[in-house]
């Protein structure tokens, strides 16, 4: 069964450092998302991406965050200068249908720990 | 902004007992999805509801979308230990939006 893959599974970084989280969505999907989940809390929407551009972003997704689809297969989330409160599990998801009507397939997540 | 709340936050049941989680949105939704997240895992899609008053069943799971499309519920009959995890609803407002807003989740613990 096709799946979304994410790397790294865990990253520890110092506050102020840049972090890049990588995702390989399911190959025929066109809609991509990043969500994050602080331990034990709800899954928070960060950004959606379609046709090589951001279609929506949340208030959390400020200028420190950026996304890119550099080569047609990878989908990356960059945090320019990490803060302690960025510590969370970051989930990438993809779907075949847009408009929030399609099933989201989530990767296993990248746990980010900012010290 | 749009908020989606679930109650209860946590439910502990004996195996074989029933379980229900309720999802309430501050805004009318065009559709609602349900996901299950096992401890340490990632959300996995269960079902989508689109029509007002819609009811769907998956074996012992029954999903309902309210008439006003602002609330939903998931009921599990005779829970099994394999059903432990957090159940999230996720709703989309109408209009030109792709984003699914996840509810606060209900953690289900099942004691054998």
């Amino acid at each position: 069964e096709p799946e979304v893959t994410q790397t790294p599974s865990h990253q520890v970084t110092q506050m102020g450092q840049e972090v890049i989280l990588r995702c390989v969505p399911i190959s025929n999907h066109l809609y991509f998302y990043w969500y994050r989940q602080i331990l034990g809390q709800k899954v928070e929407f960060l950004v959606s991406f379609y046709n090589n551009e951001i279609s929506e972003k949340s208030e959390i997704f400020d200028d420190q965050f950026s996304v890119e689809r550099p080569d047609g297969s990878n989908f990356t989330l960059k945090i320019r200068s990490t803060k302690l409160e960025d510590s969370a599990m970051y989930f990438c998801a993809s779907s075949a249908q847009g408009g929030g009507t399609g099933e989201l397939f989530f990767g296993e997540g990248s746990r980010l720990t900012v010290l | 902004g749009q908020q989606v709340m679930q109650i209860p936050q946590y439910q502990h049941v004996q195996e074989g007992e029933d379980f229900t989680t309720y999802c309430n949105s501050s805004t009318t939704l065009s559709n609602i999805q349900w996901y299950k997240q096992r401890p340490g895992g990632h959300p996995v899609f269960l079902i989508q509801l689109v029509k007002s008053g819609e009811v769907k069943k998956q074996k012992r799971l029954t999903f309902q979308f309210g008439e006003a499309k602002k609330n939903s519920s998931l009921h599990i009959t005779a829970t099994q230990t394999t059903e432990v995890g957090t159940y999230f609803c996720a709703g989309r407002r109408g209009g030109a939006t792709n984003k699914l807003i996840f509810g606060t989740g209900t953690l289900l613990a099942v004691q054998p």
Side-chain angles (χ1 to χ4, degrees):
Chain A
E1 187 177 313
E3 58 181 20
V4 175
T5 56
Q6 288 186 243
T7 53
S9 55
H10 189 192
Q11 177 140 9
V12 182
T13 190
Q14 295 291 326
M15 196 168 56
Q17 294 296 302
E18 177 183 283
V19 157
I20 297 176
L21 305 178
R22 292 183 166 78
C23 169
V24 179
I26 293 172
S27 62
N28 62 344
H29 286 185
L30 300 175
Y31 301 87
F32 314 117
Y33 309 84
W34 284 99
Y35 282 82
R36 80 172 185 192
Q37 185 176 36
I38 294 169
L39 187 62
Q41 297 185 27
K42 67 176 181 179
V43 180
E44 297 178 292
F45 172 81
L46 292 178
V47 66
S48 60
F49 191 88
Y50 168 71
N51 201 25
N52 280 323
E53 60 183 26
I54 289 174
S55 39
E56 279 179 279
K57 57 185 181 179
S58 72
E59 320 74 63
I60 303 167
F61 195 91
D62 61 21
D63 292 344
Q64 293 302 311
F65 289 86
S66 61
V67 288
E68 208 175 36
R69 189 157 160 79
D71 57 13
S73 64
N74 289 286
F75 179 50
T76 61
L77 174 69
K78 184 195 290 188
I79 310 175
R80 254 179 279 283
S81 176
T82 49
K83 306 189 207 57
L84 295 176
E85 54 265 35
D86 293 328
S87 294
M89 181 71 93
Y90 287 80
F91 289 108
C92 172
S94 68
S95 69
Q97 291 170 264
T101 59
E103 167 185 353
L104 295 189
F105 290 80
F106 283 84
E108 294 195 351
S110 292
R111 179 167 297 286
L112 176 65
T113 303
V114 182
L115 303 176
Chain B
Q2 182 186 357
Q3 290 189 26
V4 183
M5 306 295 291
Q6 284 181 252
I7 54 169
Q9 269 189 295
Y10 173 74
Q11 179 102 48
H12 180 212
V13 300
Q14 294 286 127
E15 190 173 22
E17 290 182 340
D18 293 357
F19 160 75
T20 304
T21 170
Y22 299 92
C23 171
N24 291 288
S25 170
S26 58
T27 59
T28 302
L29 302 170
S30 64
N31 62 290
I32 196 152
Q33 298 181 358
W34 284 90
Y35 289 79
K36 176 185 174 184
Q37 184 178 29
R38 290 185 189 276
H42 57 281
V44 175
F45 175 83
L46 295 176
I47 208 156
Q48 175 168 266
L49 304 165
V50 178
K51 297 178 190 167
S52 165
E54 189 170 11
V55 177
K56 285 189 177 179
K57 288 181 190 266
Q58 282 180 353
K59 297 183 184 176
R60 291 174 295 98
L61 277 63
T62 302
F63 303 83
Q64 200 158 10
F65 201 6
E67 293 289 342
K69 299 184 81 173
K70 291 183 78 172
N71 53 66
S72 182
S73 64
L74 157 59
H75 179 81
I76 304 178
T77 306
T79 54
Q80 298 178 351
T81 54
T82 52
E83 285 160 337
V84 297
T86 303
Y87 291 85
F88 291 99
C89 61
R92 184 182 80 88
R93 265 196 344 232
T97 176
N98 271 326
K99 68 181 178 187
L100 278 175
I101 300 299
F102 276 69
T104 47
T106 297
L107 173 59
L108 171 63
V110 181
Q111 185 164 356

